[in-house]
Amino acid sequence: MKKLKKQIHTFLPTAKIFLDDVEKIEEILKESCFSTYNITPNEPKLDSICEIQRTRELFEESYSSYIIKLEDEYELESINEIIEIADKQDFYNLEILLTKPYFNLELDQFNTQIYCDDDSLCIGMIERIKPIILKRKTYFQHWLFGINKKFVVFTKERSNQKTNFFIKNKDQIILSSISAIIGALFATLFRFILIGQGTL
């Protein structure tokens, strides 16, 4: 008989994180995990079926897998592999998964969620990761572009290289402002025409 572990679910604000943020999160997870488990080793080659079965059981008990998923398109064993993705700078979904203890951090355009085992190790990881996410929360983007507008939750830029939000989006902001002004002018003109015709 095996007692199942309970899991906890934590919600955090939507965030846009940078390469160095993910490096810090990866370091926290691996550092915490190394105190109890080994990370993704190769299983030894054995001849006996009994040896293979027992070794696999020990492997599952003692080892943990670490995976980073980007938009269900890429799987990385370390954030260092991000340099191999040459044709993409920004991502709309990021998932970081540790299998033992179970810890799943996911960022998308709606929120940031953590699913994990309910134990002191995972709770400690949440408390260390939470300030990184809160520092990058992006309530303003929801207000400006609306909830249905997809926006970046992870970029390969480092935080000290980030472009000012207004500079990076200046074309879209200018276009939106011009459209709003033109729309208001047409509405005002149309109203004066109707008044002149005695319709209003």
Side-chain angles (χ1 to χ4, degrees), residues 5-18:
K5 284 189 176 182
K6 292 182 180 179
Q7 291 188 351
I8 54 177
H9 186 192
T10 302
F11 282 100
L12 294 170
T14 307
K16 176 184 176 182
I17 61 176
F18 297 85

Side-chain angles (χ1 to χ4, degrees), residues 13-19 21-22 25 69-71 89-96 105-113 132-133 136-138 141-142 149-157 168:
T14 307
K16 176 184 176 182
I17 61 176
F18 297 85
L19 180 59
D21 296 321
V22 178
I25 292 169
K69 293 182 180 180
L70 294 167
E71 297 180 355
Q89 176 74 15
D90 299 325
F91 300 87
Y92 302 105
N93 183 274
L94 168 70
E95 184 178 356
I96 301 176
L105 168 65
E106 184 170 4
L107 292 92
D108 60 32
Q109 64 173 331
F110 300 107
N111 52 47
T112 302
Q113 301 182 68
I132 299 172
I133 302 298
R136 308 295 185 200
K137 62 185 177 182
T138 55
Q141 290 196 31
H142 274 313
K149 172 74 177 179
K150 287 184 73 174
F151 59 83
V152 173
V153 298
F154 167 61
T155 178
K156 291 195 296 187
E157 284 183 334
K168 191 170 184 178

